[in-house]
């Protein structure tokens, strides 16, 4: 959506296909980091964006076994928003879509599911999509796969990836919020179990972390055992566990960390999770995908307007974004190995040495900066060139 918006704004005709009828998917996290908020500022949209309901997190800390470590505090950052905004992702996506629709060059097709690529003489020249009205063919100078960690585009293009493994999956469900509940996002690790609860105003979005591949066993053990485990982790919600009265209310989210070797082919590029699936650790995946979009728009807008995108142009996008992605995934894997895996196997986890070191006054700014801005932050370099859409009655 962000790439579609930036390219349309820069005068490139864009069609965005979204397989669902709306953005009300609740499984993509809510963390809008300072890097993304800075992009909003550069687009002149920050003030309006911050009017959407959100909460602001100014310091992130974590209890790891007996160690309490500050992962990031943001007050020293050279940005307009020195906080992470927690905002449901459908609000974020609707906001971007609404602004993109102002341009005649932007076309968003909802309920259009990409099912295959159109290839001619070794070049990808568009996609096929299933819609309510039958099959749709969209031809394009460039097709961009932004379809997440189960990307159809990546699979259909036969792009090779390396899988770095993740020790966990997530059972995702809601419990109501009641007066007197904590306002904070709550995380708890204990006795080989782990839960994170995100405050979404009228309900808690709960992520119960389980060892990879163990969902069938958790289901076989039954709802009573599951409710007891959740209640054991979170006394706060014991009085409302009967809201989980069916497995239909508990969605399994599989976690993956992988990366394509080549993010492109002639006529095709992948970005975001489609190019590199991110773990939930650090809540950085959305922000990294936005950074990919900004970098891709900066590199592609002008060649796309001129009809001059070559394989070298696509290579440039990967070269720009590969190092920040590798670095971030490496950090996620270190955290997985040192915190999540021991916690899920019942071993008392402890903070890795580098995290303890980062608590020293001289070094403690570094993790906040990495978490908030990532490596090699991107800036909007594309101009606003597109004609505005005429208001319709
Ligand atoms: C359990 C879990 C929790 C997470 N929590 C966070 C968090 O709190 N903060 C954070 O920053 N990151 C989080 N992440 C990582 C984050 O979800 C991803 O890194 C991020 O969503 C990637 O963005 P994306 O735009 O590339 O893909 P997505 O957000 O997955 O978007 C892909 C879009 O493509 C659509 N689509 C898919 N297939 C098709 C198709 N065939 N045709 C048309 N449309 C299609 C989907 O409906 C979706 O709208 C979490 C990941 C997991 C697994």
């Amino acid at each position: 959506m962000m790439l579609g918006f930036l390219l349309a704004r820069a005068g490139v005709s864009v069609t965005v296909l979204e397989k669902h009828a709306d953005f009300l998917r609740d499984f993509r996290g809510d963390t809008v980091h300072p890097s993304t908020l800075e992009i909003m500022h550069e687009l002149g949209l920050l003030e309006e964006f911050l009017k959407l309901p959100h909460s602001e997190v100014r310091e992130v800390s974590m209890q790891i076994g007996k160690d309490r470590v500050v992962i990031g505090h943001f007050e020293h950052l050279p940005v307009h928003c020195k906080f992470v905004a927690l905002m449901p992702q459908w609000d974020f996506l609707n906001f971007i879509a609404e602004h993109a629709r102002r341009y005649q060059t932007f076309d968003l097709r909802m309920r259009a599911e990409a099912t295959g690529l159109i290839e001619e003489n070794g070049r990808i020249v568009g996609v096929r999509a299933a819609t309510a009205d039958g099959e749709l063919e969209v031809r394009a100078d460039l097709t961009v796969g932004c379809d997440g960690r189960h990307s159809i585009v990546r699979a259909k293009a036969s792009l090779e990836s390396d899988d770095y493994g993740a020790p966990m999956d997530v059972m995702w469900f809601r419990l109501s919020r009641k007066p007197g509940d904590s306002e904070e996002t709550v995380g708890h690790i204990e006795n080989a179990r782990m839960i994170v609860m995100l405050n979404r105003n009228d309900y808690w979005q709960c992520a119960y972390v389980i060892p990879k591949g163990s969902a069938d066993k958790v289901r076989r053990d039954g709802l009573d055992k599951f409710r007891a485990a959740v209640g054991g982790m979170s006394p706060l919600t014991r009085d409302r566990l009967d809201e989980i009265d069916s497995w239909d209310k508990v969605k399994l989210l599989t976690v993956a960390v992988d990366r394509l070797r080549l993010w492109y082919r002639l006529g095709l590029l992948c970005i975001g999770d489609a190019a590199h699936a991110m773990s939930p650790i650090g809540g950085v995946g959305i922000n990294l995908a936005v950074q990919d979009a900004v970098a891709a728009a900066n590199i592609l807008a002008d060649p796309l307007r001129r009809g001059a995108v070559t394989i070298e142009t696509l290579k440039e996008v990967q070269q720009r974004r590969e190092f920040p992605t590798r670095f971030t995934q490496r950090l996620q894997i270190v955290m997985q190995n040192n915190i999540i895996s021991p916690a899920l196997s019942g071993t008392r986890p402890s903070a890795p040495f580098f995290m303890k070191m980062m608590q020293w006054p001289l070094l403690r700014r570094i993790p906040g900066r990495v978490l908030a801005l990532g490596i090699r932050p991107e800036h909007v370099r594309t101009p606003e060139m597109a004609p505005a859409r005429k208001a319709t009655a």
Side-chain angles (χ1 to χ4, degrees):
M1 187 63 72
M2 182 60 91
L3 178 60
F5 168 49
L6 290 169
L7 289 178
R9 177 178 171 275
V12 177
S13 284
V14 181
T15 302
V16 175
L17 305 180
E18 166 55 55
K19 71 175 171 183
H20 292 292
D22 54 45
F23 298 120
L24 289 173
R25 313 275 82 72
D26 58 7
F27 49 84
R28 286 187 293 216
D30 300 9
T31 49
V32 183
H33 284 214
S35 59
T36 302
L37 294 166
E38 200 61 11
I39 298 293
M40 292 298 171
H41 168 72
E42 291 172 7
L43 290 165
L45 300 176
L46 183 61
E47 208 178 313
E48 192 185 336
F49 183 69
L50 290 177
K51 286 187 186 145
L52 296 174
H54 69 279
S55 51
E56 295 175 6
V57 178
R58 288 169 191 277
E59 182 176 287
V60 179
S61 58
M62 204 172 167
Q63 187 75 38
I64 307 173
K66 60 182 175 27
D67 306 315
R68 181 159 192 88
V69 286
V70 177
I71 311 279
H73 59 116
F74 309 125
E75 79 273 7
H76 59 280
L77 295 174
V79 288
H80 290 82
C81 298
K82 299 174 195 303
F83 54 83
V84 170
L86 291 184
M87 178 186 293
Q89 202 177 111
W90 49 88
D91 284 344
F92 180 37
L93 287 168
N94 279 327
F95 181 86
I96 304 290
E98 197 183 300
H99 280 279
R101 280 196 190 97
R102 291 182 308 170
Y103 302 109
Q104 288 177 19
T105 35
F106 184 78
D107 179 16
L108 171 60
R109 310 274 180 99
M110 301 301 287
R111 292 178 68 196
E113 177 170 6
T115 50
L117 298 171
I118 309 171
E119 186 170 345
E120 284 172 5
N121 305 322
R123 182 187 179 95
I124 305 299
V125 294
V127 283
R128 286 194 188 82
T131 73
D133 303 323
E135 191 179 272
L136 170 76
E137 253 193 36
V138 184
R139 291 194 165 242
D141 290 344
L142 179 66
T143 300
V144 187
C146 316
D147 49 345
R149 63 188 184 280
H150 304 296
S151 172
I152 284 289
V153 171
R154 166 206 280 212
K156 295 285 177 187
S158 306
L159 292 170
E160 272 182 83
S161 72
D162 292 310
D163 186 356
Y164 300 102
M168 77 282 206
D169 288 324
V170 173
M171 309 288 268
W172 196 246
F173 56 94
R174 297 175 177 197
L175 290 171
S176 56
R177 286 191 78 242
K178 295 199 172 162
D181 282 1
S182 147
E183 289 296 314
E184 303 294 318
T185 285
V186 181
H188 195 147
I189 306 180
E190 201 175 285
N191 292 336
R193 286 180 295 196
M194 192 170 166
I195 194 168
V196 178
M197 292 165 53
L198 306 172
N199 173 359
R200 284 197 178 153
N201 297 323
D202 49 344
Y203 65 92
W204 289 106
Q205 181 60 62
C206 304
Y208 183 76
V209 183
I210 57 171
K212 183 131 216 92
S214 66
D216 284 344
K217 177 172 184 322
V218 172
R219 288 196 197 101
R220 267 198 314 273
D221 287 348
L223 268 179
D224 282 343
K225 198 164 172 190
F226 182 70
R227 280 190 291 254
V230 172
M233 296 292 291
S234 170
L236 176 73
T237 57
R238 268 184 209 150
D239 59 343
R240 59 207 88 156
L241 288 172
D242 54 358
E243 291 170 14
I244 318 171
D245 54 7
S246 145
W247 284 117
D248 292 342
K249 295 195 176 159
V250 185
K251 184 163 173 44
L252 171 67
L253 301 182
T254 53
V255 176
V257 181
D258 64 26
R259 194 169 59 248
L260 293 181
R261 291 183 184 170
L262 279 187
W263 299 16
Y264 55 88
R265 273 182 56 182
L266 208 52
L268 178 101
L269 173 70
C270 288
I271 60 167
D273 270 22
H276 47 75
M278 303 301 292
S279 157
I281 292 174
V284 291
I286 296 167
N287 303 279
L288 212 73
V290 168
Q291 295 280 302
D292 282 4
V294 174
N298 288 343
I299 293 168
L300 293 168
D302 182 52
L304 276 170
R305 271 194 310 265
R306 292 186 288 111
V309 173
T310 64
I311 202 86
E312 290 304 318
T313 329
L314 303 178
K315 188 173 174 187
E316 209 184 312
V317 177
Q318 176 171 354
Q319 279 173 342
R320 173 84 201 166
R321 295 303 306 155
E322 186 157 16
F323 175 67
T325 306
R326 271 175 188 268
F327 184 91
T328 313
Q329 287 184 320
R330 188 68 224 142
L331 276 185
Q332 289 189 322
I333 291 164
V334 168
M335 307 275 268
Q336 279 182 181
N337 294 345
N338 287 278
I339 301 168
I340 309 286
S341 295
L344 289 176
S345 67
T347 316
R348 204 168 169 75
S350 66
F353 176 68
F354 79 92
M355 280 174 93
K356 290 185 186 160
M357 220 172 77
M358 293 297 169
Q359 306 301 301
W360 298 347
L362 275 177
L363 297 179
R364 60 183 297 169
R365 289 181 168 204
I366 298 172
R369 196 180 173 100
V370 172
L371 187 67
L373 300 179
I375 301 294
R376 195 186 283 161
E378 302 292 345
H379 297 281
V380 177
R381 310 251 183 251
T382 41
E384 183 174 18
M385 291 176 73
R389 203 181 287 282
K390 290 191 188 68
T392 46

